[in-house]
Amino acid sequence: MQLGKISITSLEISMPEARGGQSVELSAKFMPLLCRTGIAVRHRFACAKARFRRVAAMGDALFAVRNALCLGAYQRAIAEAAEAGPLDASTQAERDVLVYRAYVGQGLYKIVLDEVGDDASTSLLAVKLLAKYYQHPEEKEGIIATLQEWMEDPSCSSNPTLLLVAATVHAGEENYVEALKCANAGNPTLDMMAVSVASYLKIDRPDYAEKQVKAMAAIDEDATLTQLSMAWTNLALGGAKVQEAFYIFQELGEKNTWTAKLLVGNATAHMLMGQYDEAERDLLDALQKDSKDVDALANLVVCSHHLGKPTARYTNQLTMVEGKHPVLARREELSQAFDVAASSYQ
């Protein structure tokens, strides 16, 4: 799921252990099961490929746009939107929302702020407010107040894009209770449900995330958002689920295009299986696609540590891109704790 900076791939691995302190390295007894799982997953994706062709043939003009957007292929989403047409008024409006969401994903907030007028639709104004939230963090209190005011207005409170943006902003503020309220309001779309999954994973409740993924699968098991949500939930669950998550990232990358977000997901699976060399390769590939990808940089700090390599360069890059990242905060916390402990022996 992609909507600006809150994504289903916004988790970083800080230790090679699953929940409860259990090693996530896969023992031989799991291999037959994992092989069968891989075959099942590949079969499901073969069906998904056929479905992709059927949907496109049925005339869903924006299917490729939405698919590229949730994969983090933002420029491709914009290009697909430019080639779509002719479109009726309703579909044009939806296309515009997707395009401006892609610009937010690229960090091109000024384009959204300059081009979306104050008389635009509720959906476009919601995306504009999200761009403002990222562009002007010093104004976040006013932005959240505006969101709250809109959410209390019966004329727009059920707008799916507004609910999605509200959930995204609350999640960005680590207010996951409000994020989940917004994401589950009305008739949740797959986008909203994916935000719920991301929020549950952020608060270390993969059990609830798994229930949400099952609800998404009941709506559309083959949808890219469902598969991404399933992959990240499986990584959080650990154990034999890690290999299935790896297969999902592999198939999504091969079926579509390898984006920075997919490569980070693939690398996370490698790290959970103790394959740090392979993880480093994927993370470096991710940086080639997006040199400012926060998740790639954060995971490179951790991966380099496990490989016994210097971490200063990636730490400095991460500091420049997002100085308040949890990985940096945790490192600073541990450094201060060490200094305090060391001082007692002086």
Side-chain angles (χ1 to χ4, degrees):
M1 184 279 300
Q2 298 293 331
L3 180 65
K5 294 185 178 179
I6 303 299
S7 67
I8 200 66
T9 59
S10 60
L11 305 177
E12 60 281 336
I13 298 302
S14 57
M15 60 185 68
E17 294 182 345
R19 298 176 73 244
Q22 299 300 314
S23 170
V24 300
E25 290 203 32
L26 302 175
S27 63
K29 69 180 181 180
F30 285 123
M31 291 304 141
L33 171 62
L34 295 177
C35 290
R36 292 195 297 272
T37 300
I39 293 171
V41 171
R42 286 191 287 270
H43 173 72
R44 183 168 68 244
F45 272 95
C47 295
K49 289 179 183 179
R51 175 183 173 276
F52 187 100
R53 292 190 293 268
R54 289 197 304 272
V55 171
M58 290 170 62
D60 184 350
L62 301 180
F63 180 78
V65 182
R66 286 190 294 270
N67 199 61
L69 181 64
C70 69
L71 288 168
Y74 302 121
Q75 193 56 47
R76 180 176 174 180
I78 294 168
E80 292 283 0
E83 295 176 2
L87 306 173
D88 58 35
S90 175
T91 307
Q92 286 181 19
E94 183 181 359
R95 177 200 60 191
D96 292 345
V97 170
L98 295 173
V99 167
Y100 285 119
R101 281 178 58 185
Y103 281 126
V104 170
Q106 288 181 316
L108 300 176
Y109 313 125
K110 193 173 187 301
I111 291 179
V112 184
L113 295 174
D114 289 347
E115 294 186 6
V116 177
D118 293 336
D119 59 346
S121 67
T122 298
S123 295
L124 286 176
L125 288 175
V127 177
K128 182 177 182 178
L129 198 62
L130 182 66
K132 186 178 180 181
Y133 170 75
Y134 290 133
Q135 180 78 356
H136 301 289
E138 72 281 1
E139 300 180 24
K140 66 180 182 181
E141 290 185 5
I143 292 168
I144 293 173
T146 299
L147 273 176
Q148 186 62 35
E149 181 182 341
W150 290 357
M151 292 288 291
E152 294 173 357
D153 185 346
S155 67
C156 61
S157 60
S158 61
N159 182 282
T161 303
L162 175 58
L163 291 168
L164 183 61
V165 166
T168 300
V169 169
H170 286 305
E173 294 299 306
E174 299 185 358
N175 187 349
Y176 298 110
V177 173
E178 286 301 317
L180 288 165
K181 285 181 181 178
C182 294
N184 288 283
N187 296 311
T189 63
L190 286 179
D191 286 288
M192 294 162 64
M193 297 170 82
V195 173
S196 290
V197 171
S199 297
Y200 285 133
L201 294 179
K202 282 288 191 178
I203 60 176
D204 194 28
R205 292 307 304 261
D207 51 337
Y208 283 1
E210 188 174 28
K211 293 178 181 178
Q212 187 72 83
V213 169
K214 289 179 180 178
M216 295 174 72
I219 296 172
D220 189 346
E221 183 178 11
D222 295 327
T224 299
L225 273 176
T226 303
Q227 292 301 313
L228 282 170
S229 299
M230 184 181 299
W232 280 98
T233 300
N234 284 343
L235 290 180
L237 289 169
K241 294 284 188 178
V242 174
Q243 188 79 27
E244 184 171 350
F246 172 78
Y247 284 129
I248 293 175
F249 288 123
Q250 284 285 315
E251 292 288 350
L252 285 173
E254 292 170 6
K255 182 181 72 170
N256 300 279
T257 184
W258 280 101
T259 63
K261 296 303 181 186
L262 286 178
L263 286 165
V264 169
N266 213 51
T268 305
H270 279 306
M271 282 192 285
L272 284 169
M273 293 186 287
Q275 300 166 355
Y276 294 103
D277 288 321
E278 292 86 347
E280 181 185 41
R281 179 199 62 212
D282 284 341
L283 293 170
L284 291 174
D285 286 347
L287 281 189
Q288 286 187 1
K289 294 182 178 295
D290 183 355
S291 62
K292 296 182 179 180
D293 188 278
V294 173
D295 297 323
L297 289 169
N299 280 290
L300 270 169
V301 171
V302 176
C303 188
S304 297
H305 174 76
H306 282 286
L307 290 171
K309 295 183 178 182
T311 63
R313 176 180 298 175
Y314 302 126
T315 300
N316 291 337
Q317 284 182 262
L318 182 59
T319 301
M320 293 174 64
V321 176
E322 190 169 324
K324 296 182 179 180
H325 193 279
V327 165
L328 299 176
R330 180 60 174 163
R331 284 171 63 90
E332 180 63 23
E333 179 185 335
L334 291 174
S335 177
Q336 292 178 1
F338 178 83
D339 290 342
V340 170
S343 66
S344 65
Y345 294 94
Q346 295 178 351

